[in-house]
Amino acid sequence: QMRFMLLFSRQGKLRLQKWYLATSDKERKKMVRELMQVVLARKPKMCSFLEWRDLKVVYKRYASLYFCCAIEGQDNELITLELIHRYVELLDKYFGSVCELDIIFNFEKAYFILDEFLMGGDVQDTSKKSVLKAIEQADLLQEEDESPRSVLEEMGLA
Amino acid sequence: MSDIVEKTLTALPGLFLQTQTGGEAAAAKASLSSRLGSLVRGITALTSKHEEEKLIQQELSSLKATVSAPTTTLKTMKECMVRLIYCEMLGYDASFGYIHAIKLAQQGNLLEKRVGYLAVSLFLHENHELLLLLVNTVVKDLQSTNLVEVCMALTVVSQIFPREMIPAVLPLIEEKLQHSKEIIRRKAVLALYKFHVIAPNQVQHIHIKFRKALCDRDVGVMAASLHIYLRMIKKNSSGYKDLTGSFVTILKQVVGGKLPVDFSYHSVPAPWLQIQLLRILGLLGKDDQRTSELMYDVLDESLRRAELNHNVTYAILFECVHTVYSIYPKSELLEKAAKCIGKFVLSPKINLKYLGLKALTYVIQQDPSLALQHQMTIIECLDHPDPIMKRETLELLYRITNAQNITVIVQKMLEYLHQSKEEYIIVNLVGKIAELAEKFAPDNAWFIQTMNAVFSVGGDVMHPDIPNNFLRLLAEGFDDETEDQQLRLYAVKSYLTLLDVENVFYPQRFLQVMSWVLGEYSCLVDKETPDAVITKLYKLLMNNSISSETKVWLIAAVTKLTPQAHSSNIVERLIQEFTISLDTCMRQHAFELKYLHENMECMKRVLPVNKSCEDMVVDASLSFLDGFVAEGLNQGAAPYKPHHQRQEEKLSQEKVLNFEPYGLSFSASGFTGRQSPAGISLGSDVSGNSAETGLKETNSLKLEGIKKLWGKEGYLPKKESAIGDEAEAQPIPQESVIMENVDQAITKKDQPQAHMQSKEEKEKQLLASSLFVGLGSESTVNLLGKADTVSHKFRRKSKVKEIIKSGETTSTHNMTCSSFSSLSNAAYEEDYYLDTSQDRGDKGLKKFSLNSELLDSELFTALPMVKKPSNCSMSAPSLFADNNLEIFYPFPSTPAPAAKEISVASSLSEEPTEHMHSDLMEITEQPECCLPVMEAESMKNFQHSVQMEEPFTEGTVSGFVNYEMIDSHSAQLEFSVTVSLLDFIRPLKISTEDFGKLWLSFANDVKQNIKMSESQAALPSALKTLQQKLRLHIVDIIGNEGLLACQLLPSVPCLLHFRVHADVLALWFRSSCSTLPDYVLYQCQKVMEGS
């Protein structure tokens, strides 16, 4: 089971955080700061897995963004890596070749997609089609003047 | 900015060939139109952290004004929430908006609600008090006809939901399991899974429904249900063996590509599902040959299918290998799995290599030859530039350490330790080194030096057990007295040298170790006078960087050395210095030293040389103070009252505002009083003595217990075996083994690259040979079978631990017994009756010993047994029996509890035993439970009380009876008894007035509505059911409401208020114990549904 997921930029700016285990605010901040430092110091050819505190951290960098998941020791690291990848694929499909800016300006959307994909830290739906369908359903209810219409229109979903 | 706009497309080559412009344009558009956009851009434009802070604070205060203004529309509110989330993510406090997030979720339209729920789930954690305000909204949305609303509610429930409010939504979510849309069913299953994680007892009754979900026609719902199964099977695999076939079939279908393409990931069918199933199978097949056989085929197929060279197939392979090694072994599969591990280890991809090492780490104890196969790779990883790889390699080496390779492995570990700064790593590694050093140290010098390194690096972060164990090892020594002295001598010398080095700072813990050793053993060193040592210690004492705790250790060392010293100059100076110290603790120690110093004779007697392990005789009753006490009493002083007595008196004097429930506080204080002597009073109970004598007996037993812990005799039985180990350890043909290994390594290397024998390679091989010594195929057995017999130099220590542990368990056990005795007078102890009788032609004296072992840790118990004459026992249903012995439950004539227990008994199929006649029995005594001498033709009753420490639904009490026949043929009969919560529930007879008082004083409550069948709908019948089946006491009935009370033995009260509307029964429980209401509620539900 996943403990938390973080997205942060190469400059160490947090872009998204999802905690699946009750953690105090202070502890969260400390963990985020520490973990960012550790991950950012890693060199490109190094292993994507880390032992950090009593957790396993699986991270992967996509362009300027680091995706970082903390799991428990006995969990499967490789499948977690693929989980990150599937999430990126989902974002990509939704935003139409996603970039960090998309996530900054529409981070609530990124959260919605994540919630549809993982529920309480466990994989809920791995089918790309049905995750996006669920998001669209909710999106379609949006009023006409809301902003990121265009993306959906381009994808032929609106 | 440029790198922010950098496209992820570069990282996802060829995956999505959509035009880039779309996303960019959208992002740009979004950023222009939204307020969030301007905020983000504002922040990016800033250069300093200080400016950012100013801007955000400004933003937050304007947001605060907006959200609290009554005119703000929900649409604006939604937009504000997004900005608030952003500010929180940057690390600023936006707690003023939390309540508005809840409001938004409550009042908004769909889109606003969605943002509201998101904000709530990000802002709050599951224990946040505001969360209670969300419950109504969630309930409303769960009942909505709009699918999206239901989905949102289920999502939020699965993320954060207050535990105590689960009953409010549980029936609604259960309903959703039958919903026509699979997405709703799936989310409902996951929400229930989440409940299972945070409050397992509340979803116990829907296990059947989980099975339905497992058979759901939609793959997603089925996959979701596996989360629950994995968790339940982890806890108790035996209860789900019957599902093995189903899991295997599902996996077969998945692997065979029978699922819709939607579920494929990079053309691998449902990898997450596969992994989940493999894990479940691994748990089910563990140590179970029959179950494992069912899965061999599908595992084989999984190993075969995963040939695609993609990360995700490796993920499946890895899990598959894990499963193959955890279930009952099959050599063919093991071989294939070992090959797979090879694929991982030899992979050029670092992630796969890492997993290869990880796989080796857990496989190595089963199959050490695998490490040998991959030794060169392991050596390479040991020098890998990535510290994570090194660390995993060390973990692997740690598992294969033996007496022959310890020096090399520990050296590698120390090297790594010196490079790492992270506390977690240091603590972990230091612990491992200390453990290995104690187990396998080749000689004294190495041991002390290694421990020195451990103490200097591990310093003040390491586990306190490490220095404690080390000191105990030094003090208690092992078997050979001269060897012990050598070790101590070496330690002293080493520390004296370390202290001579100028300007080095040692961690406090290390200094403490040094000071203890020097104080105790520096007399062993001839050339160093005690005066010189004292001078060194004094120098440390005057050092400002040393903590006051360490100074106390130092001064204690000085005190020990003082009687041996020739001149007392320094000691006097020290006394002068510290008797005026501002630190009270130091001052006290200085004064102690001062007064002892004045009376050298006494000091020598109090502080004998090298006697740290001698027993100290302590007069626990403080009888030498009797005179003093008598004098005090004569002069009119009040007699001493123990703490609990004082408390009781105080309680009874307090007339107003007693918030504690009476029953509880009395019994609790009564307990402490009786528990403190920590002794056995079982004997006293059986023989019918009063509690007073029980206490006296207890005292004498307690002293015995202590002697066992610390006295010399306690360790004696272990000695011979330790000697044996020592003898075995010596003759190790180390060199020959090394040579052999070198040969092996060379031949291996020769094949691929015979000419590449550079110097470096040779070094590596040498290292390999020293690392993998003792892992050859011949010695495999050695590592597996007699792993522990391989030369444990300092073997005794671990045993000491064991003894202490067993000592502890005994003492807790004794405590139970004593608490039992206190209860036995009351009418509510749980009785089990053991009928023992022997049959057939066995004649003469029989030895009978009974040993009860309590396997269930949740039970804080001892066992009750009653022996009865065999001829009358025929009518009672027997519980367990073999040829000679029968155990059965009490007679049907015994009051209420029997009804339930007999039903349990009958479920355990028992064969009636013949009772020919019985003879005299002699009983050997066991500390836990024993049978007194029995007269011929008679039976004895044995009673133990089982007490529930924490509520649970069902538990088992198991144990075994050992007895010996006259012809010295001994037998053992195992038995186990299932006990449920109901066995521990008794009516609590209180008045309505007391009920009211208690009700108000309890904080833990649970509410639930239960639907009833028509026949029950009337209040009286419902009451009757509860009264009969749950043994609740009816306190009062007022109109259509009822008050009931019960208690969990010994005295945890639980109150129930209930009201009947039409066919719904509204139950409201309160108790002083936080979990009890849940459990009682569950029982109630069961009873009401069942009848």
Side-chain angles (χ1 to χ4, degrees):
Chain A
Q1 205 204 336
M2 195 178 294
R3 295 287 198 82
F4 59 85
M5 187 175 197
L6 301 177
L7 262 69
F8 51 87
S9 70
R10 220 167 48 188
Q11 289 79 21
K13 287 253 189 289
L14 193 60
R15 294 302 179 208
L16 188 138
Q17 55 172 341
K18 189 87 191 177
W19 299 78
Y20 294 109
L21 210 75
T23 320
S24 77
D25 204 43
K26 207 176 138 203
E27 184 64 13
R28 281 185 190 186
K29 278 182 191 154
K30 196 173 158 232
M31 286 168 91
V32 169
R33 200 167 356 111
E34 249 178 67
L35 188 60
M36 270 206 247
Q37 233 172 32
V38 176
V39 171
L40 289 173
R42 306 272 298 165
K43 295 193 184 73
K45 284 274 160 80
M46 283 183 166
C47 191
S48 305
F49 317 133
L50 271 178
E51 276 162 64
W52 180 72
R53 300 202 177 180
D54 55 340
L55 296 174
K56 265 274 161 56
V57 172
V58 176
Y59 72 94
K60 188 157 182 184
R61 184 179 153 185
Y62 288 90
S64 54
L65 260 191
Y66 282 89
F67 289 69
C68 193
C69 292
I71 53 176
E72 278 154 32
Q74 70 274 21
D75 290 342
N76 190 320
E77 292 93 342
L78 263 189
I79 200 71
T80 310
L81 204 58
E82 294 312 299
L83 191 116
I84 292 177
H85 191 76
R86 170 49 49 114
Y87 181 47
V88 175
E89 281 178 19
L90 286 169
L91 290 173
D92 205 78
K93 184 101 182 205
Y94 181 80
F95 287 107
S97 70
V98 68
C99 68
E100 194 184 337
L101 274 185
D102 291 322
I103 293 175
I104 298 174
F105 290 116
N106 301 292
F107 65 85
E108 80 273 21
K109 294 278 179 333
Y111 277 118
F112 293 144
I113 296 175
L114 185 63
D115 283 347
E116 208 52 51
F117 177 42
L118 300 177
M119 198 158 157
D122 288 287
V123 179
Q124 177 192 179
D125 193 349
T126 55
S127 156
K128 213 186 314 191
K129 217 169 82 191
S130 71
V131 170
L132 291 178
K133 212 176 108 198
I135 297 288
E136 283 153 29
Q137 257 179 355
D139 275 355
L140 283 176
L141 302 155
Q142 206 141 349
E143 299 104 310
E144 290 312 309
D145 56 9
E146 283 285 325
S147 41
R149 274 314 34 213
S150 56
V151 186
L152 286 172
E153 275 158 11
E154 261 168 39
M155 289 162 72
L157 298 172
Chain B
M1 272 298 270
S2 69
D3 53 87
I4 300 178
V5 207
E6 201 179 324
K7 288 276 131 186
T8 26
L9 197 74
T10 47
L12 290 166
L15 266 175
F16 303 98
L17 296 169
Q18 275 173 312
T19 45
Q20 285 187 30
T21 42
E24 225 162 339
K29 215 168 142 194
S31 61
L32 279 176
S33 56
S34 75
R35 303 274 297 274
L36 171 75
S38 48
L39 172 65
V40 173
R41 266 176 290 117
I43 292 168
T44 346
L46 300 174
T47 45
S48 74
K49 183 82 191 160
H50 179 68
E51 279 176 322
E52 180 192 298
E53 210 177 305
K54 225 169 90 185
L55 185 79
I56 302 270
Q57 291 306 351
Q58 227 175 336
E59 181 79 20
L60 281 174
S61 52
S62 94
L63 276 170
K64 195 172 186 174
T66 319
V67 292
S68 41
T71 51
T72 309
T73 62
L74 288 169
K75 200 175 150 194
T76 322
M77 193 66 98
K78 176 188 136 212
E79 197 273 328
C80 287
M81 272 313 135
V82 174
R83 271 186 289 161
L84 278 176
I85 297 175
Y86 191 79
C87 292
E88 279 249 311
M89 186 155 66
L90 289 176
Y92 298 89
D93 176 45
S95 49
F96 63 83
Y98 294 176
I99 185 75
H100 297 284
I102 291 175
K103 260 199 224 154
L104 191 63
Q106 209 163 44
Q107 298 162 350
N109 65 22
L110 273 177
L111 288 162
E112 290 145 8
K113 192 183 268 299
R114 186 157 75 144
V115 172
Y117 271 137
L118 174 71
V120 168
S121 73
L122 291 171
F123 287 153
L124 307 181
H125 53 81
E126 51 195 23
N127 306 322
H128 202 287
E129 51 192 354
L130 280 181
L131 217 49
L132 288 174
L133 298 175
L134 195 71
V135 175
N136 266 332
T137 316
V138 170
V139 170
K140 206 181 87 207
D141 285 342
L142 281 174
Q143 288 165 321
S144 161
T145 48
N146 188 323
L147 285 188
V148 179
E149 276 185 348
V150 179
C151 281
M152 281 190 234
L154 285 171
T155 304
V156 87
V157 159
S158 75
Q159 279 182 12
I160 39 163
F161 201 73
R163 206 185 73 91
E164 61 275 18
M165 293 313 284
I166 289 177
V169 294
L170 194 58
L172 289 171
I173 295 178
E174 274 178 64
E175 239 167 63
K176 296 286 177 287
L177 290 174
Q178 270 96 44
H179 202 275
S180 61
K181 286 280 180 200
E182 61 271 5
I183 187 172
I184 305 283
R185 291 204 302 276
R186 190 181 63 212
K187 282 179 199 280
V189 169
L190 282 168
L192 288 177
Y193 165 66
K194 178 73 183 200
F195 289 167
H196 191 267
V197 173
I198 54 174
N201 48 304
Q202 300 203 1
V203 288
Q204 254 168 351
H205 59 288
I206 41 179
H207 279 188
I208 294 295
K209 290 183 178 159
F210 293 157
R211 289 205 181 214
K212 231 177 177 170
L214 183 65
C215 306
D216 198 284
R217 60 184 182 278
D218 180 73
V219 183
V221 181
M222 183 271 291
S225 75
L226 290 182
H227 291 299
I228 301 180
Y229 276 104
L230 180 63
R231 196 181 157 81
M232 294 194 296
I233 291 172
K234 234 180 226 169
K235 280 192 176 154
N236 165 29
S237 67
S238 58
Y240 300 90
K241 300 270 184 188
D242 59 315
L243 287 175
T244 313
S246 316
F247 292 130
V248 167
T249 318
I250 297 172
L251 185 56
K252 251 184 204 148
Q253 287 176 1
V254 177
V255 175
K258 299 267 164 45
L259 291 193
V261 198
D262 260 2
F263 290 93
S264 292
Y265 173 83
H266 295 255
S267 61
V268 175
W272 280 275
L273 182 54
Q274 284 196 45
I275 284 177
Q276 202 80 345
L277 284 165
L278 285 168
R279 270 196 204 152
I280 289 177
L281 290 182
L283 292 169
L284 285 173
K286 196 162 198 248
D287 304 320
D288 182 346
Q289 188 175 3
R290 224 167 44 83
T291 311
S292 297
E293 273 162 4
L294 295 174
M295 50 186 89
Y296 288 149
D297 276 349
V298 75
L299 290 178
D300 192 54
E301 196 173 340
S302 291
L303 284 174
R304 232 168 350 102
R305 288 261 180 179
E307 69 251 313
L308 207 75
N309 196 13
H310 188 280
N311 265 348
V312 75
T313 51
Y314 279 109
I316 297 172
L317 262 190
F318 182 80
E319 210 57 52
C320 209
V321 167
H322 195 192
T323 306
V324 167
Y325 272 96
S326 13
I327 62 171
Y328 190 87
K330 189 191 183 198
S331 56
E332 258 174 77
L333 278 179
L334 287 178
E335 224 168 85
K336 280 183 189 164
K339 236 180 239 159
C340 276
I341 295 181
K343 253 197 238 173
F344 277 100
V345 174
L346 298 172
S347 166
K349 287 183 184 161
I350 187 166
N351 288 344
L352 298 186
K353 214 187 222 8
Y354 174 85
L355 286 181
L357 290 174
K358 192 180 157 189
L360 275 181
T361 308
Y362 68 70
V363 156
I364 211 75
Q365 265 144 349
Q366 285 183 53
D367 188 2
S369 64
L370 263 183
L372 218 51
Q373 250 175 54
H374 298 295
Q375 48 180 325
M376 290 325 276
T377 319
I378 295 173
I379 301 280
E380 271 159 29
C381 291
L382 204 47
D383 288 322
H384 202 281
D386 188 345
I388 292 297
M389 297 295 279
K390 269 195 203 177
R391 198 171 152 196
E392 194 62 34
T393 316
L394 289 176
E395 181 70 37
L396 173 63
L397 291 177
Y398 163 72
R399 309 273 173 112
I400 59 166
T401 308
N402 56 33
Q404 295 148 60
N405 58 17
I406 175 146
T407 41
V408 195
I409 288 178
V410 167
Q411 187 200 338
K412 288 283 167 194
M413 285 181 160
L414 284 173
E415 273 168 28
Y416 186 85
L417 196 56
H418 286 301
Q419 287 162 12
S420 35
K421 286 176 194 76
E422 209 194 309
E423 196 181 304
Y424 257 85
I425 299 178
I426 294 176
V427 172
N428 182 299
L429 214 52
V430 150
K432 281 180 176 151
I433 295 175
E435 186 199 324
L436 291 177
E438 276 175 24
K439 253 195 205 160
F440 301 115
D443 57 64
N444 288 336
W446 183 89
F447 178 66
I448 296 294
Q449 271 159 14
T450 305
M451 289 314 281
N452 284 353
V454 163
F455 292 139
S456 11
V457 182
D460 297 320
V461 293
M462 71 186 160
H463 200 275
D465 273 357
I466 299 175
N468 293 347
N469 285 342
F470 174 74
L471 290 183
R472 193 194 285 161
L473 187 100
L474 276 187
E476 285 167 358
F478 26 114
D479 316 299
D480 184 354
E481 192 51 39
T482 49
E483 189 79 351
D484 288 349
Q485 295 294 22
Q486 290 284 308
L487 181 64
R488 291 169 191 153
L489 186 67
Y490 193 89
V492 172
K493 278 185 182 160
S494 148
Y495 297 154
L496 287 172
T497 336
L498 284 179
L499 288 182
D500 278 338
V501 185
E502 297 279 332
N503 294 326
V504 184
F505 297 100
Y506 300 107
Q508 303 299 321
R509 291 260 188 79
F510 193 15
L511 287 172
Q512 291 164 14
V513 167
M514 287 192 202
S515 48
W516 191 86
V517 172
L518 291 178
E520 209 62 44
Y521 298 119
S522 63
C523 54
L524 298 173
V525 188
D526 300 328
K527 67 175 185 342
E528 205 83 27
T529 60
D531 303 85
V533 179
I534 290 178
T535 319
K536 283 199 174 99
L537 294 174
Y538 177 71
K539 223 167 89 191
L540 283 176
L541 268 172
M542 303 313 288
N543 191 333
N544 286 330
S545 65
I546 283 170
S547 76
S548 49
E549 190 197 348
T550 310
K551 283 188 180 171
V552 172
W553 284 73
L554 286 163
I555 212 163
V558 171
T559 313
K560 279 183 220 166
L561 289 172
T562 308
Q564 302 158 35
H566 305 294
S567 85
S568 49
N569 282 344
I570 295 196
V571 177
E572 269 156 22
R573 215 158 80 209
L574 191 148
I575 290 170
Q576 235 171 32
E577 201 91 47
F578 286 97
T579 42
I580 52 164
S581 164
L582 285 178
D583 186 330
T584 45
C585 194
M586 287 301 293
R587 207 162 59 224
Q588 184 189 338
H589 284 278
F591 271 110
E592 275 169 24
L593 176 59
K594 187 181 169 202
Y595 291 123
L596 279 172
H597 189 56
E598 282 163 9
N599 185 350
M600 224 30 166
E601 271 314 301
C602 167
M603 194 174 196
K604 274 182 184 157
R605 220 177 58 233
V606 171
L607 299 165
V609 179
N610 199 357
K611 288 276 182 355
S612 65
C613 271
E614 300 292 303
D615 281 341
M616 194 93 74
V617 182
V618 177
D619 185 357
S621 64
L622 305 181
S623 60
F624 58 90
L625 287 176
D626 282 353
F628 178 76
V629 173
E631 197 178 316
L633 287 175
N634 276 340
Q635 285 170 8
Y640 173 73
K641 282 178 194 160
H643 181 68
H644 63 94
Q645 200 180 340
R646 269 176 286 159
Q647 223 174 22
E648 240 168 80
E649 276 172 19
K650 203 172 143 203
L651 260 174
S652 54
Q653 278 163 12
E654 271 173 18
K655 286 192 185 85
V656 274
L657 284 180
N658 178 14
F659 289 105
E660 284 291 307
Y662 287 106
L664 192 73
S665 60
F666 280 129
S667 77
S669 54
F671 260 16
T672 41
R674 276 171 185 132
Q675 261 178 5
S676 53
I680 293 184
S681 55
L682 181 80
S684 73
D685 179 64
V686 171
S687 55
N689 281 350
S690 72
E692 293 310 307
T693 41
L695 267 173
K696 269 176 201 157
E697 270 182 45
T698 295
N699 272 335
S700 62
L701 277 167
K702 182 188 169 197
L703 278 177
E704 232 171 54
I706 283 172
K707 228 172 199 174
K708 231 181 192 167
L709 281 182
W710 303 104
K712 279 207 158 171
E713 304 88 331
Y715 304 132
L716 274 176
K718 303 285 175 187
K719 264 196 172 164
E720 314 90 351
S721 68
I723 291 166
D725 292 339
E726 279 297 308
E728 252 178 321
Q730 298 310 319
I732 296 158
Q734 196 158 355
E735 267 158 274
S736 68
V737 182
I738 289 177
M739 292 310 292
E740 211 176 272
N741 265 288
V742 173
D743 285 350
Q744 253 180 359
I746 287 173
T747 41
K748 237 183 216 158
K749 271 274 146 174
D750 274 353
Q751 288 153 357
Q753 38 187 173
H755 54 286
M756 288 279 283
Q757 282 280 1
S758 65
K759 202 177 167 190
E760 205 179 297
E761 286 294 314
K762 269 184 190 158
E763 266 173 25
K764 276 187 183 173
Q765 272 160 24
L766 253 161
L767 179 59
S769 61
S770 52
L771 275 178
F772 298 97
V773 154
L775 277 183
S777 45
E778 324 83 66
S779 46
T780 306
V781 199
N782 195 343
L783 201 106
L784 273 177
K786 327 179 245 172
D788 276 339
T789 60
V790 185
S791 153
H792 285 187
K793 186 166 178 74
F794 302 112
R795 222 194 131 86
R796 271 202 53 195
K797 192 223 98 214
S798 58
K799 281 193 198 120
V800 170
K801 246 189 185 165
E802 270 168 40
I803 289 173
I804 286 171
K805 254 189 207 151
S806 67
E808 271 163 9
T809 45
T810 326
S811 71
T812 47
H813 204 105
N814 295 348
M815 285 222 255
T816 342
C817 293
S818 69
S819 62
F820 157 59
S821 81
S822 71
L823 287 172
S824 63
N825 300 330
Y828 43 53
E829 83 270 24
E830 193 70 22
D831 294 352
Y832 292 102
Y833 294 76
L834 262 192
D835 164 56
T836 53
S837 66
Q838 87 297 335
D839 74 336
R840 311 250 153 88
D842 301 321
K843 281 163 200 145
L845 204 71
K846 307 208 170 183
K847 275 195 176 165
F848 197 102
S849 81
L850 192 135
N851 200 341
S852 73
E853 216 168 66
L854 303 157
L855 301 179
D856 193 325
S857 58
E858 278 181 272
L859 276 172
F860 190 50
T861 78
L863 257 198
M865 344 220 118
V866 175
K867 287 176 80 199
K868 299 229 160 168
S870 55
N871 44 358
C872 32
S873 76
M874 298 301 281
S875 57
S878 66
L879 240 191
F880 319 95
D882 65 1
N883 288 337
N884 310 312
L885 189 71
E886 195 182 8
I887 299 174
F888 62 93
Y889 270 121
F891 296 63
S893 61
T894 2
K900 166 110 187 149
E901 284 153 7
I902 284 164
S903 71
V904 179
S906 57
S907 71
L908 297 147
S909 65
E910 288 302 324
E911 36 183 272
T913 332
E914 286 176 21
H915 304 279
M916 305 289 280
H917 68 278
S918 51
D919 286 296
L920 189 75
M921 289 184 171
E922 192 193 280
I923 279 72
T924 56
E925 281 213 352
Q926 292 283 320
E928 293 94 344
C929 180
C930 55
L931 300 180
V933 179
M934 277 180 68
E935 286 162 38
E937 299 282 327
S938 78
M939 290 186 141
K940 290 268 157 116
N941 299 340
F942 251 71
Q943 304 194 344
H944 271 226
S945 130
V946 180
Q947 216 170 297
M948 198 177 262
E949 201 179 33
E950 242 177 274
F952 61 89
T953 316
E954 218 170 60
T956 13
V957 184
S958 47
F960 55 89
V961 182
N962 271 326
Y963 58 95
E964 216 168 287
M965 301 304 224
I966 179 90
D967 52 2
S968 81
H969 133 81
S970 69
Q972 185 174 341
L973 175 61
E974 283 179 39
F975 61 88
S976 70
V977 181
T978 314
V979 289
S980 81
L981 182 81
L982 280 189
D983 296 333
F984 297 87
I985 295 284
R986 294 292 180 274
L988 178 65
K989 292 186 179 122
I990 48 171
S991 67
T992 316
E993 211 178 8
D994 288 339
F995 184 95
K997 276 186 204 155
L998 280 179
W999 184 263
L1000 292 176
S1001 67
F1002 293 155
N1004 307 296
D1005 66 350
V1006 167
K1007 288 187 206 176
Q1008 173 82 320
N1009 292 341
I1010 303 183
K1011 270 199 179 156
M1012 295 186 297
S1013 59
E1014 277 172 34
S1015 63
Q1016 281 185 323
L1019 182 70
S1021 75
L1023 269 179
K1024 211 172 157 194
T1025 319
L1026 289 176
Q1027 189 182 16
Q1028 283 174 350
K1029 301 212 166 150
L1030 293 181
R1031 280 184 236 141
L1032 301 180
H1033 171 67
I1034 301 174
V1035 179
D1036 207 353
I1037 303 172
I1038 307 159
N1040 61 345
E1041 291 170 55
L1043 305 177
L1044 295 137
C1046 67
Q1047 55 181 342
L1048 174 68
L1049 294 174
S1051 62
V1052 185
C1054 182
L1055 306 179
L1056 166 63
H1057 166 269
F1058 81 89
R1059 183 197 292 263
V1060 182
H1061 311 272
D1063 60 342
V1064 176
L1065 186 60
L1067 299 171
W1068 189 359
F1069 292 91
R1070 276 199 179 182
S1071 170
S1072 57
C1073 163
S1074 63
T1075 47
L1076 186 58
D1078 288 343
Y1079 285 97
V1080 180
L1081 168 62
Y1082 171 57
Q1083 299 290 355
C1084 268
Q1085 276 173 326
K1086 235 171 57 176
V1087 166
M1088 298 311 272
E1089 278 165 17
S1091 58

